[in-house]
Amino acid sequence: MITFVGWKWHGNGYRETYTAQHVNIWAAGIKRHYRGPHRIVCVTDDAKDVECETFPLWKDCGGLTNPSGKHLPSCFRRLKIFSPLTTAEMGIDDGAKVASIDLDVVFPRDLVPIFDREEDFVGWKGEGTYNPVVYNGSMFMFRAGRMAKLWDDFRPESSPQAAVKARYFGSDQGWLSYKLNGSVPGWGTRDGVFSYSRDVRTTRQGKLPQMARIVSFNGKMKPWHMKAVDKDPWIKDHWRR
């Protein structure tokens, strides 16, 4: 059994507002393309109109800003998912797989090969500007109870700055990259995980790669933006109920 976790909360000042519709389309994509036993849970501060299972968002780290810029999204609160107490409260067995995936993605093909892995942690892995390995917080998978250090060692007053000092940027992904230091395996384009802005729009002029299983819109452009759909009509074939 794997639990897919999505996140929706109201963030003051961020350029994008995430809605129940975004959650419902995200969940529908997982249901279409993951055939094994699974749960889908949205951790949220507003469950209205969300059609999948929900879990109340905790307040921990809610006031922390992104050290890379206050205008950027701050997702430090997601780190609490690594606490064994949190996963237990969510009804997730110790050692069971948990996959956190952002809402701004499309799922063009079968997801089973992505998540049919046995490691304690797998992240979306790439090369950083200043460090050879970074992990993107848009998607990661771990086994409940086995990565508790990612939460237990986090100190709101000092950990974000420690990551930035080591030139790992972002909020939760900066801390994950700093703490893991390239020591765990990761997905990339050869696994079918693509960035829309970097790997599809820029490198392939918007053409969807045949092997794409997950395309993350980890930038200003989102799959629900008509500007993106007008440029690349394949988006509406995959970002749908």
Side-chain angles (χ1 to χ4, degrees):
M1 170 73 79
I2 181 171
T3 300
F4 292 99
V5 176
W7 309 84
K8 182 180 80 72
W9 66 75
H10 178 70
N12 290 324
Y14 184 51
R15 62 177 176 258
E16 200 67 41
T17 299
Y18 294 90
T19 69
Q21 182 192 32
H22 297 152
V23 178
N24 297 336
I25 292 175
W26 168 86
I30 294 172
K31 290 176 184 176
R32 271 197 307 277
H33 292 293
Y34 191 84
R35 303 298 182 186
H38 67 278
R39 289 171 67 196
I40 299 175
V41 181
C42 177
V43 179
T44 182
D45 57 1
D46 180 10
K48 184 181 178 182
D49 297 326
V50 174
E51 296 171 1
C52 66
E53 184 181 348
T54 62
F55 188 84
L57 178 70
W58 42 84
K59 296 184 182 298
D60 305 72
C61 300
L64 280 183
T65 58
N66 190 323
S68 299
K70 291 184 179 180
H71 64 292
L72 297 172
S74 178
C75 300
F76 285 115
R77 62 182 66 194
R78 291 197 297 205
L79 294 171
K80 197 178 179 183
I81 194 71
F82 295 110
S83 165
L85 293 176
T86 300
T87 47
E89 288 174 359
M90 295 175 71
I92 300 170
D93 292 337
D94 229 29
K97 294 179 184 178
V98 182
S100 171
I101 310 175
D102 278 357
L103 301 182
D104 51 357
V105 300
V106 299
F107 305 109
R109 295 178 61 216
D110 179 21
L111 295 174
V112 171
I114 296 285
F115 300 106
D116 188 19
R117 302 182 61 147
E118 301 304 319
E119 298 97 334
D120 286 347
F121 185 99
V122 187
W124 184 13
K125 194 173 185 178
E127 183 178 343
T129 304
Y130 300 102
N131 289 286
V133 175
V134 295
Y135 298 95
N136 192 305
S138 299
M139 186 174 83
F140 54 83
M141 180 174 71
F142 68 100
R143 289 191 174 272
R146 298 185 186 172
M147 300 301 295
K149 65 180 181 180
L150 295 174
W151 172 249
D152 292 344
D153 293 354
F154 184 77
R155 299 292 179 268
E157 66 280 0
S158 59
S159 295
Q161 290 71 31
V164 169
K165 186 176 180 180
R167 294 194 166 188
Y168 291 104
F169 301 109
S171 57
D172 60 328
Q173 69 182 21
W175 172 249
L176 292 177
S177 298
Y178 170 71
K179 192 68 176 171
L180 296 170
N181 193 28
S183 64
V184 296
W187 300 290
T189 54
R190 67 179 182 180
D191 303 293
V193 181
F194 290 81
S195 163
Y196 174 73
S197 60
R198 182 187 65 239
D199 303 319
V200 178
R201 178 105 292 278
T202 301
T203 306
R204 294 170 172 81
Q205 293 72 54
K207 184 178 180 181
L208 178 67
Q210 276 193 334
M211 66 181 296
R213 299 183 188 276
I214 296 177
V215 179
S216 173
F217 287 67
N218 58 319
K220 292 183 180 179
M221 202 73 79
K222 302 301 178 187
W224 49 85
H225 290 173
M226 287 310 302
K227 185 177 180 180
V229 175
D230 288 344
K231 285 183 177 181
D232 301 310
W234 57 263
I235 294 173
K236 66 177 180 290
D237 296 332
H238 303 291
W239 197 78
R240 60 179 175 82
R241 293 296 295 268

